[in-house]
Amino acid sequence: MIRVSRPPTLTDATAKNIRDAILRGDFAPGDPLPEIELSKRLEVSRGTVREALRVLHQAGDPVEIIPHRGAFVTKLSLERAREIYTLRALLEPHAVRLAMEHKACNEEDLLELEGLVQRIDELEKAGNNSELIETDLEFHRVTTRHCNHQLLLGLVRNLQSQTLALVFNTKFYRSDRVPDSVSHRLILEGIRARDPIAAEEIVRKHIIEAGTSLVKRMEEVNRSQSEAARQEPALDASRFERPAQPEV
């Protein structure tokens, strides 16, 4: 059966451009995504931008829509960041272990993972954060897809959009302690060694270290911003005092 591939619609293309700009770091977490500015920048109508932002929000991309205020880049709170990485550290390593116990990771999967690690290394050196984030997530999808536990796999996939926000923030805050290519190479070698328990622990350590490092960096940034706000010079009240009235 011949499948005809349809070209992307204008809305889809606009959504991809906005998404790429966010993942590149053109917009910081919490930044507004103004429809007028984006429509001029992308040379499309404001309605197309509005629909593209809605598509991104519904797809789980890091776009938050606040009624009567507009769209913003999702900004994770410290508590939400902790929740995401601690839950992921429970689910994903177990899925990797199950996949290995069922001997589901074959040579074809290992070759695919090897290619993804090499691609991560290339993108990291090129500073291409948009594709780097996508490749990072794809690597983890491959390691868990054969776990033969549909409920667990569904939970892992449902967490994917939250994971995307977490990885995006990791890149934005530059909180990685080791290069992505190194940490993902360790996971690959653990899987290649055919030791399910060891591989599970490597994946868990990778997730926890990345998460704790991000939270620490976010705390440092928040603390720095609070101190800067406190050091702003206070308004001189005397400037607003009424002038003295002349004596009669």
Side-chain angles (χ1 to χ4, degrees):
M1 180 179 179
I2 299 176
R3 293 185 178 181
V4 178
S5 59
R6 296 180 179 179
T9 65
L10 182 59
T11 297
D12 291 337
T14 302
K16 183 181 184 307
N17 282 327
I18 295 173
R19 186 177 193 270
D20 288 346
I22 292 172
L23 297 185
R24 274 198 311 268
D26 293 359
F27 298 93
D31 275 359
L33 296 167
E35 293 176 4
I36 295 176
E37 180 183 325
L38 288 169
S39 67
K40 291 178 180 178
R41 177 173 170 178
L42 299 174
E43 299 182 343
V44 296
S45 71
R46 186 174 175 180
T48 299
V49 170
R50 186 182 302 115
E51 180 64 16
L53 291 169
R54 185 187 65 80
V55 167
L56 291 170
H57 174 69
Q58 292 182 340
D61 285 297
V63 173
E64 181 181 10
I65 297 178
I66 302 176
H68 311 300
R69 290 188 59 196
F72 297 81
V73 179
T74 301
K75 183 176 183 179
L76 293 179
S77 65
L78 288 168
E79 186 59 32
R80 179 51 62 89
R82 288 192 191 95
E83 289 178 351
I84 295 170
Y85 87 76
T86 52
L87 180 57
R88 187 182 174 207
L90 290 172
L91 299 176
E92 193 172 308
H94 186 53
V96 171
R97 176 177 175 174
L98 289 180
M100 294 184 64
E101 287 178 345
H102 286 93
K103 296 181 170 44
C105 281
N106 54 35
E107 288 303 318
E108 185 176 337
D109 294 319
L110 291 175
L111 285 173
E112 185 175 0
L113 290 171
E114 177 64 44
L116 289 169
V117 170
Q118 291 179 9
R119 182 62 177 155
I120 286 172
D121 184 44
E122 294 169 0
L123 294 169
E124 208 163 30
K125 290 175 179 176
N128 187 340
N129 277 347
S130 177
E131 286 191 43
L132 176 59
I133 292 170
E134 294 285 6
T135 309
D136 182 325
L137 296 176
E138 179 60 22
F139 178 92
H140 288 277
R141 277 192 288 265
V142 173
T143 64
T144 59
R145 67 186 177 191
H146 297 310
C147 70
N148 198 31
H149 191 308
Q150 293 308 307
L151 182 57
L152 174 60
L153 192 57
L155 291 171
V156 171
R157 287 175 176 169
N158 287 339
L159 193 60
Q160 198 75 48
S161 63
Q162 302 287 337
T163 300
L164 171 61
L166 194 75
V167 176
F168 162 65
N169 277 264
T170 297
K171 303 308 173 200
F172 181 82
Y173 286 105
R174 299 181 180 179
S175 61
D176 288 317
R177 297 175 61 185
V178 296
D180 274 342
S181 54
V182 174
S183 59
H184 288 75
R185 170 68 63 186
L186 288 173
I187 295 173
L188 173 56
E189 294 306 321
I191 294 173
R192 185 174 276 144
R194 306 292 184 182
D195 185 337
I197 296 177
E200 178 184 34
E201 186 54 36
I202 292 171
V203 174
R204 180 177 292 109
K205 183 179 179 182
H206 163 69
I207 294 171
I208 290 176
E209 286 186 349
T212 53
S213 181
L214 171 61
V215 167
K216 181 180 179 181
R217 178 60 182 149
M218 290 173 69
E219 288 174 336
E220 290 172 351
V221 171
N222 289 349
R223 188 160 50 248
S224 176
Q225 291 174 343
S226 297
E227 290 174 355
R230 284 197 299 269
Q231 291 172 3
E232 287 182 357
L235 289 175
D236 184 358
S238 65
R239 293 169 53 197
F240 301 96
E241 293 177 356
R242 296 179 62 184
Q245 298 296 319
E247 294 182 2
V248 177

